[in-house]
Amino acid sequence: MTDFNELVKIRRSHRKFTDEEISPEHVQSILRAALMSPTSKSQRAWQFVVVDDKTDIEKLADAKDLGSQFMKGAPLAIVVLGDPQKNDCWVEDGSIAAVSMQYQAEELGLGSCWVQMRGRGLADGTPADEVIRGVLDIPANLNTLCIIAVGHKADERKPQNEDNLKWENVHAEKY
Ligand SMILES: Cc1cc2nc3c(=O)[nH]c(=O)nc-3n(C[C@H](O)[C@H](O)[C@H](O)COP(=O)(O)O)c2cc1C
């Protein structure tokens, strides 16, 4: 097991994956991390759609013009949803769940990458949210925040460089 001190250093975004599927145990561990993540007022109002169908993953990758094509090579995509009408912290709750899944994936030796969908879309003005809703039959009250692409790493990434951390952005006592 990788301790958290190390995990935060080695986690990097991975966008190249092998064809190997993710085991059901690993999928469950990743979702478990999301379901244990902290939420505003302990609402736990997020919803997740786990997609491993290649055709559907390809359609999701086409939901926006930039930054999502790599997802076509991912064996697993976890769509993070929230209800803006019921939860004013749906973005925060979803983000924390998404990142928790990324750290759990890393701890399992898997690669992952956040694919932003909220506020993104196609050049013709179609929101990514609308495309995803059509592909996955998502109810009208739920919005897509992001998709976490997961797979077995096919690329190597260097760990975070301790020397490049922006300590100057941290202010002691007062700004
Ligand atoms: C809110 C958010 C949105 C992101 N959107 C995308 C995206 O749409 N496509 C993508 O390839 N990476 C996306 N990323 C991944 C970032 O590009 C990546 O985290 C950043 O470059 C730092 O690299 P690292 O994760 O390897 O440390 C996103 C990350 C965050 C936190």
Side-chain angles (χ1 to χ4, degrees), residues 102-146:
Q102 289 199 269
Y103 280 114
Q104 180 60 75
E106 185 65 51
E107 201 268 338
L108 294 167
L110 299 168
S112 75
C113 188
W114 177 306
V115 182
Q116 179 69 15
M117 291 299 179
R118 185 182 67 89
R120 304 284 197 266
L122 299 169
D124 68 2
T126 310
D129 198 63
E130 201 176 301
V131 179
I132 298 163
R133 190 179 303 288
V135 177
L136 302 177
D137 300 335
I138 292 166
N141 60 308
L142 296 174
N143 286 10
T144 302
L145 172 67
C146 65

mmCIF file of all heavy atoms in Angstrom, residues 102-146:
data_model
loop_
_atom_site.group_PDB
_atom_site.id
_atom_site.type_symbol
_atom_site.label_atom_id
_atom_site.label_comp_id
_atom_site.label_asym_id
_atom_site.label_seq_id
_atom_site.Cartn_x
_atom_site.Cartn_y
_atom_site.Cartn_z
ATOM 1 N N GLN A 102 -9.604 9.335 -8.078
ATOM 2 C CA GLN A 102 -8.291 9.383 -8.739
ATOM 3 C C GLN A 102 -7.186 8.878 -7.803
ATOM 4 O O GLN A 102 -6.301 8.132 -8.230
ATOM 5 C CB GLN A 102 -7.980 10.806 -9.199
ATOM 6 C CG GLN A 102 -8.851 11.246 -10.374
ATOM 7 C CD GLN A 102 -8.247 12.430 -11.099
ATOM 8 O OE1 GLN A 102 -8.538 13.574 -10.764
ATOM 9 N NE2 GLN A 102 -7.410 12.176 -12.073
ATOM 10 N N TYR A 103 -7.262 9.292 -6.537
ATOM 11 C CA TYR A 103 -6.228 8.819 -5.599
ATOM 12 C C TYR A 103 -6.361 7.321 -5.343
ATOM 13 O O TYR A 103 -5.362 6.608 -5.230
ATOM 14 C CB TYR A 103 -6.271 9.623 -4.294
ATOM 15 C CG TYR A 103 -5.576 10.960 -4.439
ATOM 16 C CD1 TYR A 103 -6.285 12.151 -4.355
ATOM 17 C CD2 TYR A 103 -4.204 11.026 -4.688
ATOM 18 C CE1 TYR A 103 -5.649 13.377 -4.529
ATOM 19 C CE2 TYR A 103 -3.558 12.242 -4.860
ATOM 20 C CZ TYR A 103 -4.287 13.410 -4.775
ATOM 21 O OH TYR A 103 -3.648 14.619 -4.947
ATOM 22 N N GLN A 104 -7.613 6.839 -5.265
ATOM 23 C CA GLN A 104 -7.783 5.391 -5.062
ATOM 24 C C GLN A 104 -7.262 4.624 -6.271
ATOM 25 O O GLN A 104 -6.602 3.590 -6.124
ATOM 26 C CB GLN A 104 -9.255 5.060 -4.803
ATOM 27 C CG GLN A 104 -9.501 3.569 -4.571
ATOM 28 C CD GLN A 104 -8.727 3.038 -3.371
ATOM 29 O OE1 GLN A 104 -9.090 3.295 -2.231
ATOM 30 N NE2 GLN A 104 -7.630 2.317 -3.613
ATOM 31 N N ALA A 105 -7.541 5.122 -7.456
ATOM 32 C CA ALA A 105 -7.039 4.467 -8.669
ATOM 33 C C ALA A 105 -5.510 4.419 -8.646
ATOM 34 O O ALA A 105 -4.903 3.380 -8.920
ATOM 35 C CB ALA A 105 -7.531 5.214 -9.914
ATOM 36 N N GLU A 106 -4.904 5.531 -8.284
ATOM 37 C CA GLU A 106 -3.435 5.584 -8.228
ATOM 38 C C GLU A 106 -2.902 4.571 -7.209
ATOM 39 O O GLU A 106 -1.909 3.879 -7.460
ATOM 40 C CB GLU A 106 -2.981 6.997 -7.859
ATOM 41 C CG GLU A 106 -1.482 7.197 -7.876
ATOM 42 C CD GLU A 106 -0.890 7.055 -9.281
ATOM 43 O OE1 GLU A 106 -1.400 7.706 -10.201
ATOM 44 O OE2 GLU A 106 0.083 6.292 -9.431
ATOM 45 N N GLU A 107 -3.586 4.512 -6.086
ATOM 46 C CA GLU A 107 -3.127 3.591 -5.029
ATOM 47 C C GLU A 107 -3.188 2.141 -5.516
ATOM 48 O O GLU A 107 -2.398 1.298 -5.088
ATOM 49 C CB GLU A 107 -3.988 3.801 -3.769
ATOM 50 C CG GLU A 107 -3.340 3.309 -2.494
ATOM 51 C CD GLU A 107 -3.720 1.879 -2.166
ATOM 52 O OE1 GLU A 107 -4.774 1.399 -2.660
ATOM 53 O OE2 GLU A 107 -2.969 1.224 -1.422
ATOM 54 N N LEU A 108 -4.098 1.875 -6.433
ATOM 55 C CA LEU A 108 -4.213 0.522 -7.009
ATOM 56 C C LEU A 108 -3.244 0.328 -8.175
ATOM 57 O O LEU A 108 -3.244 -0.721 -8.818
ATOM 58 C CB LEU A 108 -5.654 0.294 -7.495
ATOM 59 C CG LEU A 108 -6.729 0.246 -6.399
ATOM 60 C CD1 LEU A 108 -8.130 0.333 -7.007
ATOM 61 C CD2 LEU A 108 -6.581 -1.035 -5.571
ATOM 62 N N GLY A 109 -2.473 1.357 -8.472
ATOM 63 C CA GLY A 109 -1.507 1.272 -9.575
ATOM 64 C C GLY A 109 -2.113 1.597 -10.923
ATOM 65 O O GLY A 109 -1.483 1.405 -11.967
ATOM 66 N N LEU A 110 -3.352 2.118 -10.893
ATOM 67 C CA LEU A 110 -4.039 2.457 -12.144
ATOM 68 C C LEU A 110 -3.835 3.931 -12.484
ATOM 69 O O LEU A 110 -3.562 4.749 -11.594
ATOM 70 C CB LEU A 110 -5.541 2.173 -12.007
ATOM 71 C CG LEU A 110 -5.900 0.715 -11.711
ATOM 72 C CD1 LEU A 110 -7.370 0.599 -11.317
ATOM 73 C CD2 LEU A 110 -5.595 -0.159 -12.925
ATOM 74 N N GLY A 111 -3.988 4.254 -13.757
ATOM 75 C CA GLY A 111 -3.897 5.645 -14.183
ATOM 76 C C GLY A 111 -5.293 6.224 -14.334
ATOM 77 O O GLY A 111 -6.258 5.504 -14.622
ATOM 78 N N SER A 112 -5.395 7.539 -14.157
ATOM 79 C CA SER A 112 -6.702 8.181 -14.342
ATOM 80 C C SER A 112 -6.500 9.616 -14.818
ATOM 81 O O SER A 112 -5.415 10.176 -14.680
ATOM 82 C CB SER A 112 -7.501 8.181 -13.027
ATOM 83 O OG SER A 112 -6.992 9.150 -12.138
ATOM 84 N N CYS A 113 -7.571 10.149 -15.368
ATOM 85 C CA CYS A 113 -7.540 11.573 -15.742
ATOM 86 C C CYS A 113 -8.955 12.150 -15.656
ATOM 87 O O CYS A 113 -9.927 11.488 -16.038
ATOM 88 C CB CYS A 113 -6.999 11.762 -17.156
ATOM 89 S SG CYS A 113 -6.725 13.507 -17.598
ATOM 90 N N TRP A 114 -9.032 13.340 -15.137
ATOM 91 C CA TRP A 114 -10.295 14.101 -15.063
ATOM 92 C C TRP A 114 -10.591 14.650 -16.457
ATOM 93 O O TRP A 114 -9.720 15.251 -17.097
ATOM 94 C CB TRP A 114 -10.088 15.231 -14.071
ATOM 95 C CG TRP A 114 -11.208 16.199 -13.859
ATOM 96 C CD1 TRP A 114 -11.873 16.925 -14.796
ATOM 97 C CD2 TRP A 114 -11.764 16.572 -12.591
ATOM 98 N NE1 TRP A 114 -12.813 17.725 -14.210
ATOM 99 C CE2 TRP A 114 -12.769 17.536 -12.848
ATOM 100 C CE3 TRP A 114 -11.518 16.196 -11.266
ATOM 101 C CZ2 TRP A 114 -13.514 18.126 -11.835
ATOM 102 C CZ3 TRP A 114 -12.263 16.789 -10.255
ATOM 103 C CH2 TRP A 114 -13.242 17.730 -10.539
ATOM 104 N N VAL A 115 -11.819 14.462 -16.913
ATOM 105 C CA VAL A 115 -12.257 15.086 -18.160
ATOM 106 C C VAL A 115 -13.394 16.042 -17.806
ATOM 107 O O VAL A 115 -14.487 15.617 -17.409
ATOM 108 C CB VAL A 115 -12.735 14.026 -19.192
ATOM 109 C CG1 VAL A 115 -13.125 14.712 -20.496
ATOM 110 C CG2 VAL A 115 -11.651 12.984 -19.432
ATOM 111 N N GLN A 116 -13.102 17.328 -17.929
ATOM 112 C CA GLN A 116 -14.098 18.347 -17.564
ATOM 113 C C GLN A 116 -15.264 18.332 -18.537
ATOM 114 O O GLN A 116 -15.068 18.325 -19.750
ATOM 115 C CB GLN A 116 -13.435 19.725 -17.561
ATOM 116 C CG GLN A 116 -14.355 20.867 -17.219
ATOM 117 C CD GLN A 116 -14.801 20.847 -15.752
ATOM 118 O OE1 GLN A 116 -14.221 20.148 -14.928
ATOM 119 N NE2 GLN A 116 -15.835 21.592 -15.436
ATOM 120 N N MET A 117 -16.468 18.346 -18.050
ATOM 121 C CA MET A 117 -17.651 18.396 -18.906
ATOM 122 C C MET A 117 -18.556 19.574 -18.577
ATOM 123 O O MET A 117 -19.156 20.180 -19.475
ATOM 124 C CB MET A 117 -18.450 17.087 -18.805
ATOM 125 C CG MET A 117 -17.736 15.908 -19.434
ATOM 126 S SD MET A 117 -17.446 16.204 -21.205
ATOM 127 C CE MET A 117 -16.589 14.697 -21.688
ATOM 128 N N ARG A 118 -18.630 19.953 -17.313
ATOM 129 C CA ARG A 118 -19.476 21.098 -16.931
ATOM 130 C C ARG A 118 -18.948 22.353 -17.626
ATOM 131 O O ARG A 118 -17.761 22.659 -17.560
ATOM 132 C CB ARG A 118 -19.436 21.304 -15.410
ATOM 133 C CG ARG A 118 -20.373 22.375 -14.891
ATOM 134 C CD ARG A 118 -20.232 22.533 -13.398
ATOM 135 N NE ARG A 118 -18.934 23.058 -13.031
ATOM 136 C CZ ARG A 118 -18.632 24.353 -12.921
ATOM 137 N NH1 ARG A 118 -19.563 25.267 -13.134
ATOM 138 N NH2 ARG A 118 -17.423 24.750 -12.594
ATOM 139 N N GLY A 119 -19.831 23.035 -18.333
ATOM 140 C CA GLY A 119 -19.434 24.266 -19.015
ATOM 141 C C GLY A 119 -18.713 24.047 -20.337
ATOM 142 O O GLY A 119 -18.294 25.009 -20.970
ATOM 143 N N ARG A 120 -18.556 22.807 -20.741
ATOM 144 C CA ARG A 120 -17.870 22.500 -22.003
ATOM 145 C C ARG A 120 -18.881 21.986 -23.028
ATOM 146 O O ARG A 120 -20.011 21.649 -22.696
ATOM 147 C CB ARG A 120 -16.788 21.449 -21.783
ATOM 148 C CG ARG A 120 -15.758 21.817 -20.739
ATOM 149 C CD ARG A 120 -14.759 22.842 -21.273
ATOM 150 N NE ARG A 120 -13.573 22.887 -20.435
ATOM 151 C CZ ARG A 120 -13.393 23.727 -19.429
ATOM 152 N NH1 ARG A 120 -14.332 24.594 -19.132
ATOM 153 N NH2 ARG A 120 -12.285 23.699 -18.715
ATOM 154 N N GLY A 121 -18.426 21.905 -24.277
ATOM 155 C CA GLY A 121 -19.330 21.399 -25.306
ATOM 156 C C GLY A 121 -18.703 21.400 -26.680
ATOM 157 O O GLY A 121 -17.479 21.478 -26.815
ATOM 158 N N LEU A 122 -19.559 21.355 -27.662
ATOM 159 C CA LEU A 122 -19.102 21.285 -29.057
ATOM 160 C C LEU A 122 -19.107 22.670 -29.690
ATOM 161 O O LEU A 122 -19.809 23.581 -29.228
ATOM 162 C CB LEU A 122 -20.020 20.336 -29.839
ATOM 163 C CG LEU A 122 -20.042 18.888 -29.312
ATOM 164 C CD1 LEU A 122 -21.172 18.096 -29.968
ATOM 165 C CD2 LEU A 122 -18.697 18.217 -29.547
ATOM 166 N N ALA A 123 -18.350 22.804 -30.766
ATOM 167 C CA ALA A 123 -18.217 24.095 -31.446
ATOM 168 C C ALA A 123 -19.571 24.632 -31.921
ATOM 169 O O ALA A 123 -19.777 25.845 -32.010
ATOM 170 C CB ALA A 123 -17.263 23.958 -32.619
ATOM 171 N N ASP A 124 -20.514 23.718 -32.210
ATOM 172 C CA ASP A 124 -21.830 24.180 -32.690
ATOM 173 C C ASP A 124 -22.738 24.655 -31.551
ATOM 174 O O ASP A 124 -23.900 24.975 -31.771
ATOM 175 C CB ASP A 124 -22.517 23.061 -33.494
ATOM 176 C CG ASP A 124 -22.917 21.869 -32.616
ATOM 177 O OD1 ASP A 124 -22.707 21.925 -31.376
ATOM 178 O OD2 ASP A 124 -23.440 20.880 -33.168
ATOM 179 N N GLY A 125 -22.200 24.685 -30.319
ATOM 180 C CA GLY A 125 -22.963 25.195 -29.184
ATOM 181 C C GLY A 125 -23.644 24.126 -28.349
ATOM 182 O O GLY A 125 -24.216 24.421 -27.290
ATOM 183 N N THR A 126 -23.591 22.880 -28.813
ATOM 184 C CA THR A 126 -24.218 21.806 -28.032
ATOM 185 C C THR A 126 -23.426 21.578 -26.745
ATOM 186 O O THR A 126 -22.227 21.306 -26.788
ATOM 187 C CB THR A 126 -24.222 20.475 -28.830
ATOM 188 O OG1 THR A 126 -24.737 20.724 -30.132
ATOM 189 C CG2 THR A 126 -25.054 19.415 -28.122
ATOM 190 N N PRO A 127 -24.102 21.693 -25.578
ATOM 191 C CA PRO A 127 -23.379 21.449 -24.336
ATOM 192 C C PRO A 127 -23.005 19.965 -24.200
ATOM 193 O O PRO A 127 -23.783 19.087 -24.597
ATOM 194 C CB PRO A 127 -24.391 21.826 -23.244
ATOM 195 C CG PRO A 127 -25.499 22.557 -23.923
ATOM 196 C CD PRO A 127 -25.509 22.076 -25.344
ATOM 197 N N ALA A 128 -21.825 19.699 -23.632
ATOM 198 C CA ALA A 128 -21.381 18.313 -23.408
ATOM 199 C C ALA A 128 -22.429 17.555 -22.592
ATOM 200 O O ALA A 128 -22.716 16.381 -22.834
ATOM 201 C CB ALA A 128 -20.039 18.318 -22.678
ATOM 202 N N ASP A 129 -22.996 18.281 -21.635
ATOM 203 C CA ASP A 129 -24.022 17.712 -20.771
ATOM 204 C C ASP A 129 -25.170 17.077 -21.569
ATOM 205 O O ASP A 129 -25.659 15.994 -21.230
ATOM 206 C CB ASP A 129 -24.558 18.868 -19.925
ATOM 207 C CG ASP A 129 -25.301 18.390 -18.719
ATOM 208 O OD1 ASP A 129 -24.671 17.749 -17.877
ATOM 209 O OD2 ASP A 129 -26.521 18.643 -18.654
ATOM 210 N N GLU A 130 -25.572 17.763 -22.627
ATOM 211 C CA GLU A 130 -26.693 17.291 -23.450
ATOM 212 C C GLU A 130 -26.312 16.003 -24.192
ATOM 213 O O GLU A 130 -27.108 15.060 -24.276
ATOM 214 C CB GLU A 130 -27.036 18.385 -24.456
ATOM 215 C CG GLU A 130 -28.428 18.297 -25.022
ATOM 216 C CD GLU A 130 -28.673 19.500 -25.932
ATOM 217 O OE1 GLU A 130 -28.583 20.649 -25.447
ATOM 218 O OE2 GLU A 130 -28.936 19.272 -27.136
ATOM 219 N N VAL A 131 -25.091 15.978 -24.709
ATOM 220 C CA VAL A 131 -24.631 14.775 -25.425
ATOM 221 C C VAL A 131 -24.615 13.583 -24.465
ATOM 222 O O VAL A 131 -25.127 12.497 -24.769
ATOM 223 C CB VAL A 131 -23.206 14.994 -26.000
ATOM 224 C CG1 VAL A 131 -22.716 13.746 -26.725
ATOM 225 C CG2 VAL A 131 -23.183 16.201 -26.932
ATOM 226 N N ILE A 132 -24.040 13.806 -23.278
ATOM 227 C CA ILE A 132 -23.893 12.722 -22.295
ATOM 228 C C ILE A 132 -25.264 12.232 -21.834
ATOM 229 O O ILE A 132 -25.500 11.031 -21.686
ATOM 230 C CB ILE A 132 -23.033 13.215 -21.102
ATOM 231 C CG1 ILE A 132 -21.627 13.583 -21.595
ATOM 232 C CG2 ILE A 132 -22.969 12.177 -19.997
ATOM 233 C CD1 ILE A 132 -20.831 14.439 -20.630
ATOM 234 N N ARG A 133 -26.180 13.169 -21.632
ATOM 235 C CA ARG A 133 -27.556 12.825 -21.222
ATOM 236 C C ARG A 133 -28.180 11.852 -22.228
ATOM 237 O O ARG A 133 -28.809 10.860 -21.852
ATOM 238 C CB ARG A 133 -28.381 14.126 -21.162
ATOM 239 C CG ARG A 133 -29.747 13.989 -20.537
ATOM 240 C CD ARG A 133 -30.453 15.354 -20.510
ATOM 241 N NE ARG A 133 -29.683 16.381 -19.810
ATOM 242 C CZ ARG A 133 -29.511 16.427 -18.501
ATOM 243 N NH1 ARG A 133 -30.076 15.521 -17.729
ATOM 244 N NH2 ARG A 133 -28.789 17.379 -17.940
ATOM 245 N N GLY A 134 -27.958 12.135 -23.506
ATOM 246 C CA GLY A 134 -28.531 11.286 -24.556
ATOM 247 C C GLY A 134 -27.881 9.908 -24.592
ATOM 248 O O GLY A 134 -28.563 8.900 -24.770
ATOM 249 N N VAL A 135 -26.579 9.861 -24.388
ATOM 250 C CA VAL A 135 -25.866 8.572 -24.477
ATOM 251 C C VAL A 135 -26.240 7.661 -23.306
ATOM 252 O O VAL A 135 -26.410 6.451 -23.464
ATOM 253 C CB VAL A 135 -24.324 8.799 -24.489
ATOM 254 C CG1 VAL A 135 -23.572 7.468 -24.500
ATOM 255 C CG2 VAL A 135 -23.909 9.658 -25.682
ATOM 256 N N LEU A 136 -26.373 8.259 -22.104
ATOM 257 C CA LEU A 136 -26.515 7.427 -20.893
ATOM 258 C C LEU A 136 -27.906 7.501 -20.250
ATOM 259 O O LEU A 136 -28.096 7.007 -19.132
ATOM 260 C CB LEU A 136 -25.457 7.850 -19.858
ATOM 261 C CG LEU A 136 -23.995 7.755 -20.326
ATOM 262 C CD1 LEU A 136 -23.063 8.275 -19.249
ATOM 263 C CD2 LEU A 136 -23.622 6.330 -20.710
ATOM 264 N N ASP A 137 -28.875 8.122 -20.916
ATOM 265 C CA ASP A 137 -30.244 8.232 -20.370
ATOM 266 C C ASP A 137 -30.260 8.890 -18.996
ATOM 267 O O ASP A 137 -30.928 8.401 -18.064
ATOM 268 C CB ASP A 137 -30.911 6.840 -20.260
ATOM 269 C CG ASP A 137 -31.017 6.155 -21.600
ATOM 270 O OD1 ASP A 137 -31.042 6.865 -22.621
ATOM 271 O OD2 ASP A 137 -31.066 4.906 -21.624
ATOM 272 N N ILE A 138 -29.545 9.971 -18.851
ATOM 273 C CA ILE A 138 -29.472 10.655 -17.557
ATOM 274 C C ILE A 138 -30.722 11.506 -17.360
ATOM 275 O O ILE A 138 -31.133 12.248 -18.270
ATOM 276 C CB ILE A 138 -28.184 11.514 -17.508
ATOM 277 C CG1 ILE A 138 -26.984 10.572 -17.486
ATOM 278 C CG2 ILE A 138 -28.180 12.438 -16.298
ATOM 279 C CD1 ILE A 138 -25.681 11.218 -17.772
ATOM 280 N N PRO A 139 -31.352 11.422 -16.169
ATOM 281 C CA PRO A 139 -32.566 12.202 -15.920
ATOM 282 C C PRO A 139 -32.309 13.708 -16.018
ATOM 283 O O PRO A 139 -31.181 14.175 -15.789
ATOM 284 C CB PRO A 139 -32.956 11.827 -14.480
ATOM 285 C CG PRO A 139 -32.163 10.622 -14.136
ATOM 286 C CD PRO A 139 -30.972 10.586 -15.030
ATOM 287 N N ALA A 140 -33.381 14.452 -16.307
ATOM 288 C CA ALA A 140 -33.258 15.896 -16.587
ATOM 289 C C ALA A 140 -32.722 16.689 -15.404
ATOM 290 O O ALA A 140 -32.090 17.732 -15.583
ATOM 291 C CB ALA A 140 -34.616 16.442 -17.002
ATOM 292 N N ASN A 141 -32.947 16.213 -14.176
ATOM 293 C CA ASN A 141 -32.525 16.995 -12.999
ATOM 294 C C ASN A 141 -31.027 16.897 -12.718
ATOM 295 O O ASN A 141 -30.490 17.669 -11.922
ATOM 296 C CB ASN A 141 -33.303 16.541 -11.758
ATOM 297 C CG ASN A 141 -33.080 15.072 -11.432
ATOM 298 O OD1 ASN A 141 -33.238 14.210 -12.301
ATOM 299 N ND2 ASN A 141 -32.701 14.781 -10.203
ATOM 300 N N LEU A 142 -30.347 15.959 -13.364
ATOM 301 C CA LEU A 142 -28.922 15.763 -13.075
ATOM 302 C C LEU A 142 -28.032 16.370 -14.147
ATOM 303 O O LEU A 142 -28.315 16.255 -15.339
ATOM 304 C CB LEU A 142 -28.616 14.267 -12.947
ATOM 305 C CG LEU A 142 -29.297 13.544 -11.782
ATOM 306 C CD1 LEU A 142 -29.029 12.052 -11.854
ATOM 307 C CD2 LEU A 142 -28.816 14.106 -10.446
ATOM 308 N N ASN A 143 -26.946 17.001 -13.686
ATOM 309 C CA ASN A 143 -25.956 17.567 -14.607
ATOM 310 C C ASN A 143 -24.640 16.793 -14.487
ATOM 311 O O ASN A 143 -24.309 16.288 -13.417
ATOM 312 C CB ASN A 143 -25.675 19.032 -14.274
ATOM 313 C CG ASN A 143 -26.813 19.943 -14.692
ATOM 314 O OD1 ASN A 143 -27.893 19.492 -15.069
ATOM 315 N ND2 ASN A 143 -26.582 21.228 -14.592
ATOM 316 N N THR A 144 -23.900 16.775 -15.595
ATOM 317 C CA THR A 144 -22.587 16.111 -15.554
ATOM 318 C C THR A 144 -21.523 17.125 -15.167
ATOM 319 O O THR A 144 -21.409 18.188 -15.781
ATOM 320 C CB THR A 144 -22.232 15.518 -16.933
ATOM 321 O OG1 THR A 144 -23.248 14.591 -17.308
ATOM 322 C CG2 THR A 144 -20.888 14.796 -16.878
ATOM 323 N N LEU A 145 -20.768 16.761 -14.156
ATOM 324 C CA LEU A 145 -19.635 17.597 -13.750
ATOM 325 C C LEU A 145 -18.395 17.230 -14.561
ATOM 326 O O LEU A 145 -17.767 18.072 -15.197
ATOM 327 C CB LEU A 145 -19.361 17.377 -12.253
ATOM 328 C CG LEU A 145 -18.098 18.039 -11.719
ATOM 329 C CD1 LEU A 145 -18.216 19.553 -11.737
ATOM 330 C CD2 LEU A 145 -17.795 17.545 -10.311
ATOM 331 N N CYS A 146 -18.056 15.956 -14.522
ATOM 332 C CA CYS A 146 -16.828 15.497 -15.187
ATOM 333 C C CYS A 146 -16.911 13.991 -15.391
ATOM 334 O O CYS A 146 -17.839 13.348 -14.896
ATOM 335 C CB CYS A 146 -15.593 15.830 -14.344
ATOM 336 S SG CYS A 146 -15.543 14.949 -12.768
#
